[in-house]
Amino acid sequence: MRLDRPVVFGNWKMNGLRAEGLALAGTLAERAVRLTGTLGIFPPFTLIHAVAQRVKETAILVGGQDCHERASGAYTGCVSAPMLADSGAKAVILGHSERRHGLGESDALVRAKLRAARAAGLLVVLCIGETEAEYLAGARSARLAAQIDGSLPEGIGPEGLVVAYEPVWAIGTGRTPTAEEIRATHREIRAMLAKRIVGGDSVPLLYGGSVKPENAAEIMALGDVDGVLVGGASLDARSFWSIYQAGGGA
Ligand code: 13P
């Protein structure tokens, strides 16, 4: 799957009933028949099928926000990677901080999920990011290196992989690292990926955490930033589209 820049993904999190989700997808679909970049939306499981149907004439990518590490079985309430693919998803977000920190997911579990998602042919958006305490203690690089090392299966290639740097303290807070910090951190992540994966320097890198129409252009102009992963601002079609345009997308 070719991901042209800018890569702008919207994580709807646990938001969206059928009417509003389809309205949002419909508004985006009207603008996105042809795209110069890559636009993706990640609705809750309940809307994946309907949203995928709604945008099927467009280049918009639809994905899930998580998957189980097994393909099927006695796992009440869980959704597997083949199920996501079967409902129309082409991608999945894994290792989001709301699952790592909110639900206690370990690097080892994220790695198992990543393997399952790739086996099902899904593009994986792997999220990594330090907590505020780690940031203040100067432990950011160590945390990111550990997450990259622990979350990526041995022998994985760069195809079908996107990495999103989302500082935990920037998610939903209105606070972001400085442009210089984002640039330097992305450069570091690029180098870590190049060391860990053959061809790893070609993996698209997204920044996530309080991305808004107002700061999107500055962030996406930075070297080693290929796009953004947007939470709150992706729930409004106009904001999400202006973020996409701010990155040069049309
Ligand atoms: P916000 O854009 O709401 O800060 O969320 C970012 C995020 O978690 C995207 O995955």
Side-chain angles (χ1 to χ4, degrees):
M1 190 185 303
R2 218 180 93 194
L3 301 182
D4 292 317
R5 289 180 62 169
V7 179
V8 175
F9 287 167
N11 175 7
W12 292 7
K13 308 192 178 184
M14 197 173 72
N15 295 291
L17 298 180
R18 197 177 163 83
E20 66 212 28
L22 286 178
L24 174 53
T27 308
L28 293 171
E30 282 162 23
R31 301 178 186 208
V33 177
R34 271 192 298 275
L35 292 170
T36 59
T38 308
L39 199 67
I41 47 181
F42 294 74
F45 291 136
T46 48
L47 288 181
I48 288 174
H49 180 68
V51 165
Q53 285 293 113
R54 184 67 191 78
V55 304
K56 70 172 190 268
E57 307 296 336
T58 76
I60 298 174
L61 190 78
V62 177
Q65 300 170 15
D66 178 50
C67 70
H68 195 269
E69 66 275 24
R70 298 282 174 88
S72 63
Y75 302 101
T76 302
C78 299
V79 174
S80 73
M83 288 172 179
L84 282 183
D86 190 46
S87 63
K90 300 275 187 260
V92 64
I93 294 171
L94 293 176
H96 193 279
S97 83
E98 284 150 19
R99 300 197 65 90
R100 288 183 186 271
H101 299 286
L103 300 169
E105 288 196 1
S106 64
D107 286 337
L109 180 58
V110 174
R111 183 170 66 235
K113 291 181 173 195
L114 205 153
R115 212 180 272 124
R118 291 301 300 128
L122 297 172
L123 172 82
V124 171
V125 184
L126 171 67
C127 300
I128 57 173
E130 81 285 358
T131 62
E132 180 152 39
E134 288 162 345
Y135 173 75
L136 294 174
R140 176 178 50 194
S141 300
R143 164 54 65 200
L144 298 177
Q147 286 178 334
I148 286 175
D149 213 42
S151 307
L152 290 174
E154 290 306 321
I156 188 178
E159 318 78 32
L161 181 66
V162 172
V163 169
Y165 169 55
E166 300 206 306
V168 179
W169 52 274
I171 295 176
T173 58
R175 296 161 55 210
T176 63
T178 63
E180 178 49 31
E181 285 175 309
I182 295 173
R183 196 192 54 73
T185 306
H186 275 234
R187 187 166 15 155
E188 225 178 320
I189 293 170
R190 181 89 70 204
M192 290 172 188
L193 288 169
K195 225 166 84 182
R196 181 73 166 76
I197 301 175
V198 179
D201 54 352
S202 67
V203 172
L205 298 185
L206 312 185
Y207 167 79
S210 296
V211 175
K212 308 277 178 244
E214 299 75 40
N215 60 16
E218 185 188 17
I219 292 171
M220 280 189 275
L222 298 169
D224 291 314
V225 176
D226 300 301
V228 288
L229 179 55
V230 187
S234 74
L235 296 172
D236 178 77
R238 202 181 308 171
S239 296
F240 189 52
W241 188 258
S242 40
I243 289 171
Y244 175 67
Q245 286 182 314

